[in-house]
């Protein structure tokens, strides 16, 4: 019997997932346990394995598309199994609609042939575009047309098209979705290729009023569509206006705009290197850190640590074992030991309650390919420096490979962010919500230090010094407690033998 594959819920707060890659094509056999597809969550990409043997019969989203959790994305069954009725039911559930009037089919076909069809200016523009692409040798294909001459397009693709002022009826797009329908990825690819230049205000007006931007000649710099092109007589006539250059743009740059193929400029004349979508993991990181900074009053406490004894002890430990420990491993252990003395640091705010944890789940901020991620060493209070070192290496490798599971990057109670390996001498870190504190670790650097002898005499010596800065949520932790905690971490690092007791 056929099985419906849904977008998996891979974390407590996960509401949707982005399909990164199908490892199989429709019609391919599947074996239980082998990778089927990859999903991007709010933190990382996770491979999803097949639940049992079968054949990949149908897919309902494409690579790059996003779907809400628990919604169907594919069907797996036996070879030759009839799943027609199941497909129709899923399409109804997903609200995969077919839009556009029957005349759009004729317009799309004429566009694919390089001709034009009487109608709106947007339709004519699409036909010319298709002809130009055909002349250049690029393959052009009209969208698949369903029963009754309707173009098939997913709701998400339709929404993105409307938000960007695209007339779906007039587009010549080769749909790569289910049964040749237009999906989100197709619209995004079209926007990337054609790069319709318009101000955000113009795009908003176009989306609200259903105005097709691809048929309007802008009056801004480099033909950019402005608000004035869409309101009043300009919008009703949709008459092309001669491009003008704002006074703020240098004359030589304005001249270069027309001569440099593909060059893009802002309204005030700055040349654009590239435009990258603000979404996915990067957007989620930004939203969470912004929320943390805005809702948690951050206070910072810095101490300078003498690493001389720690580096000597680390050398001895590494000579006695194959697995090499890092300075971060010692810092991690010091943070955990200090929490035993000051347990208030290991807490979070949940509504009108402060939850103080006995368990120390230690997070280590790691720069992964998709953005910052914090793998978590669970029950760190029960682990030695060497045990922390081994687990940290394992998790960091998985993080950089984008293979962490939700259980491996959630549930932290305290976090360390170390930028010492990049030579950063001092920085402050934003608290990882819902935690109450985070320790920023900077680079070790030889400095002249005043040393006071047993007899009170003073001398200047060169010592390896390192700055550590504790960021705390002032709603939960008072300054005195935070100062005591970071000073205790400093004391432990300067007397590292205590980390092994």
């Amino acid at each position: 019997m056929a099985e419906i594959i849904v977008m998996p819920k891979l974390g407590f707060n996960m509401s949707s997932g982005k399909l990164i890659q199908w490892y199989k094509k429709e019609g391919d056999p599947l074996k239980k346990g082998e990778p089927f597809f990859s999903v991007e969550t709010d933190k990382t990409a996770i491979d999803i394995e097949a639940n049992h043997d079968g054949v990949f019969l149908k897919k309902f989203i494409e690579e790059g598309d996003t779907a809400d959790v628990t919604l169907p994305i594919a069907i797996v069954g036996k070879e030759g199994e009839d799943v027609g009725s199941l497909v129709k039911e899923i399409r109804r559930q997903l609200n995969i609609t077919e839009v556009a009037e029957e005349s759009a089919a004729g317009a799309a076909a004429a566009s694919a042939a390089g001709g034009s069809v009487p109608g709106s200016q947007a339709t004519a523009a699409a036909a010319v575009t298709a002809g130009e692409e055909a002349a250049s040798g690029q393959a052009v294909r009209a969208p698949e047309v369903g029963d009754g001459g309707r173009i098939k397009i997913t709701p998400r693709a339709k929404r993105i098209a409307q938000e960007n002022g695209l007339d779906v009826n007039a587009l010549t797009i080769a749909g790569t979705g289910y049964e040749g329908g237009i999906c989100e990825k197709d619209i995004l690819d079209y926007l990337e290729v054609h790069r319709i230049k318009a101000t955000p205000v113009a795009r908003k007006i176009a989306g609200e009023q259903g105005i097709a931007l691809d048929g309007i000649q802008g009056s801004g710099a480099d033909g950019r569509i402005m608000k004035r092109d869409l309101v009043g007589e300009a919008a009703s006539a949709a008459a092309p206006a001669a491009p003008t250059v704002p006074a703020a743009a240098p004359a030589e740059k304005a001249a270069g705009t027309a001569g440099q193929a593909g060059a893009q400029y802002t309204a005030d004349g700055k040349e654009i290197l590239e435009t990258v979508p603000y979404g996915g993991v990067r957007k989620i990181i930004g939203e969470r850190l912004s929320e943390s900074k805005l809702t948690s009053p951050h206070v910072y406490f810095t101490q300078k640590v003498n690493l001389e004894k720690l580096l000597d002890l680390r050398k001895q430990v590494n000579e006695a074992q194959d697995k090499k420990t890092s300075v971060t491993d010692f810092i991690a252990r010091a943070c955990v030991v200090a929490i035993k003395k000051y347990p208030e640091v290991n807490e979070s705010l949940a509504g009108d309650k402060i939850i103080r944890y006995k368990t120390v789940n230690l997070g280590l901020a790691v720069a992964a390919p998709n953005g910052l991620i914090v793998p978590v060493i669970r029950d760190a209070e029960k682990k030695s420096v060497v045990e922390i070192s081994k687990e940290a290496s394992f998790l960091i490798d998985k993080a950089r490979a984008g293979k962490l599971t939700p259980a491996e990057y959630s549930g932290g109670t305290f976090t360390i962010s170390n930028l010492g390996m990049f030579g950063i001498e001092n920085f402050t870190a934003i608290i990882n919500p819902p935690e109450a504190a985070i320790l920023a670790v900077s680079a070790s650097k030889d400095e002249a230090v005043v040393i006071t002898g047993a007899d009170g005499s003073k001398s200047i010596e060169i010592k390896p010094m390192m700055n550590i800065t504790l960021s705390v949520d002032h709603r939960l932790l008072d300054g005195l407690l935070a100062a005591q905690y970071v000073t205790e971490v400093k004391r432990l690092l300067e007397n590292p033998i205590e980390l092994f007791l």
Side-chain angles (χ1 to χ4, degrees):
M1 182 176 178
E3 176 190 10
I4 298 176
I5 307 300
V6 301
M7 176 61 70
K9 186 176 179 65
L10 302 172
F12 178 76
N13 294 321
M14 180 177 170
S15 60
S16 64
K18 181 178 181 180
L19 193 136
I20 302 300
Q21 182 179 0
W22 287 111
Y23 293 119
K24 298 289 184 177
K25 299 189 298 292
E26 288 184 352
D28 285 352
L30 284 168
K31 291 187 178 295
K32 182 179 180 180
E34 68 177 343
F36 187 10
F37 56 92
S38 178
V39 172
E40 182 183 76
T41 68
D42 59 349
K43 287 290 187 179
T44 187
I46 298 177
D47 288 345
I48 305 300
E49 299 176 349
N51 293 327
H52 53 71
D53 295 348
V55 175
F56 184 10
L57 298 177
K58 289 290 181 183
K59 62 181 177 181
F60 297 99
I61 65 173
E62 298 296 324
E63 294 177 352
D65 284 352
T66 301
D68 292 341
V69 297
T70 72
L71 284 184
I73 61 173
I75 297 177
V76 173
K78 298 179 180 179
E79 186 173 1
E81 185 174 357
D82 183 9
V83 292
S85 59
L86 185 57
V87 169
K88 289 182 180 179
E89 174 59 24
I90 292 175
R91 291 188 63 190
R92 185 195 63 77
Q93 179 182 349
L94 296 178
N95 192 27
I96 298 178
T97 58
E98 296 178 345
V99 301
E101 301 300 327
E102 295 183 9
S103 59
S111 297
S116 63
V117 175
S120 68
Q121 183 180 7
T123 303
V128 171
T129 300
E132 291 173 348
E133 292 174 346
S136 65
Q138 298 180 17
V140 179
R141 180 167 64 88
E144 291 290 336
V145 179
D147 298 337
R150 293 178 178 272
I151 294 175
K152 291 180 288 188
I153 183 170
T154 64
R156 188 180 294 274
K158 182 181 178 183
R159 176 178 58 79
I160 294 175
Q162 290 173 340
E163 289 175 351
N164 287 274
L166 298 181
D167 183 357
V168 176
N169 302 347
L171 293 179
T172 303
I173 294 180
T176 61
Y178 173 70
E179 293 184 349
I182 298 174
C183 62
E184 177 185 9
K185 179 177 180 294
D186 301 326
I187 297 295
L188 295 176
D189 289 346
Y190 180 90
L191 291 171
E192 177 66 22
V193 171
H194 291 80
R195 291 185 180 275
I196 297 174
K197 297 180 286 295
T199 64
V201 174
R203 291 189 184 277
K204 181 178 179 181
I205 293 174
E208 292 175 348
Q209 300 183 9
I211 301 173
L213 293 181
D214 52 345
I216 296 177
Q217 176 64 52
S219 59
D222 194 28
R224 185 176 301 277
I225 299 172
M226 313 293 289
K227 175 182 177 181
R228 59 177 175 265
D229 300 320
L230 303 178
V231 296
E233 295 181 358
S236 60
T244 59
V245 179
E252 62 273 15
K253 186 169 290 186
T257 300
Q260 298 175 8
Q264 300 291 318
Y265 293 90
T266 62
D268 60 353
K270 297 189 292 291
E271 185 173 359
I272 298 172
L273 175 62
E274 63 177 335
T275 301
V276 180
Y278 180 54
V281 174
R282 173 54 53 194
K283 183 176 181 181
I284 292 170
I285 291 173
E287 289 174 347
R288 290 189 174 179
L289 294 182
S290 296
E291 179 184 2
S292 174
K293 191 70 172 177
L294 291 173
T295 60
S296 305
H298 284 51
V299 186
Y300 309 99
F301 302 84
T302 300
Q303 279 282 17
K304 192 176 290 290
V305 180
N306 183 345
L307 293 180
E308 185 175 44
K309 292 182 180 179
L310 188 150
L311 294 177
D312 288 342
L313 180 60
R314 173 177 174 258
K315 182 179 179 181
Q316 297 177 48
V317 171
N318 286 343
E319 288 175 349
Q321 61 175 354
D322 294 331
K323 171 68 181 70
K324 306 303 180 184
T325 60
S326 67
V327 172
T328 303
D329 301 326
F330 284 86
I331 296 172
R333 177 61 182 166
C335 288
V336 172
V337 173
I339 284 174
K340 293 180 180 179
K341 186 172 183 179
Y342 300 100
E344 297 90 345
V345 175
N346 196 47
E347 63 187 20
S348 63
L349 183 63
D352 59 353
K353 294 182 179 179
I354 297 175
I355 302 176
R356 190 165 297 152
Y357 305 102
K358 183 176 181 180
T359 298
V360 181
N361 287 346
L362 190 66
L364 301 174
V366 176
N370 291 330
L372 184 70
I373 191 168
V374 184
V376 174
I377 300 174
R378 296 183 176 275
D379 301 313
E381 77 281 1
K382 302 176 182 178
K383 297 172 181 176
S384 66
V385 172
V386 175
E387 290 171 331
I388 288 175
S389 177
K390 291 179 179 179
E391 188 167 346
S393 296
F394 172 75
L395 291 173
I396 290 172
D397 288 343
K398 287 192 70 174
R400 289 173 177 163
K403 299 298 183 182
L404 285 177
T405 65
E408 292 171 326
Y409 62 74
S410 60
T413 61
F414 183 89
T415 297
I416 297 172
S417 179
N418 189 349
L419 294 179
M421 64 287 294
F422 301 108
I424 302 301
E425 296 183 11
N426 195 37
F427 75 103
T428 58
I430 298 176
I431 299 169
N432 186 26
E435 298 168 15
I438 183 172
L439 187 74
V441 180
S442 302
S444 170
K445 181 182 178 182
D446 287 340
E447 295 182 9
V449 180
V450 176
I451 304 296
T452 302
D455 59 354
S457 62
K458 297 183 179 181
S459 61
I460 296 178
E461 299 181 17
I462 304 299
K463 300 291 183 181
M465 306 299 293
M466 175 185 71
N467 288 324
I468 56 174
T469 300
L470 182 71
S471 306
V472 301
D473 185 342
H474 212 349
R475 297 175 302 175
L476 302 176
L477 302 178
D478 293 330
L480 176 60
L481 181 83
Q484 290 173 329
Y485 176 80
V486 74
T487 300
E488 177 66 7
V489 173
K490 166 187 168 71
R491 190 191 70 79
L492 290 168
L493 293 176
E494 293 183 344
N495 299 276
I497 192 64
E498 293 186 28
L499 301 177
F500 288 86
L501 300 179

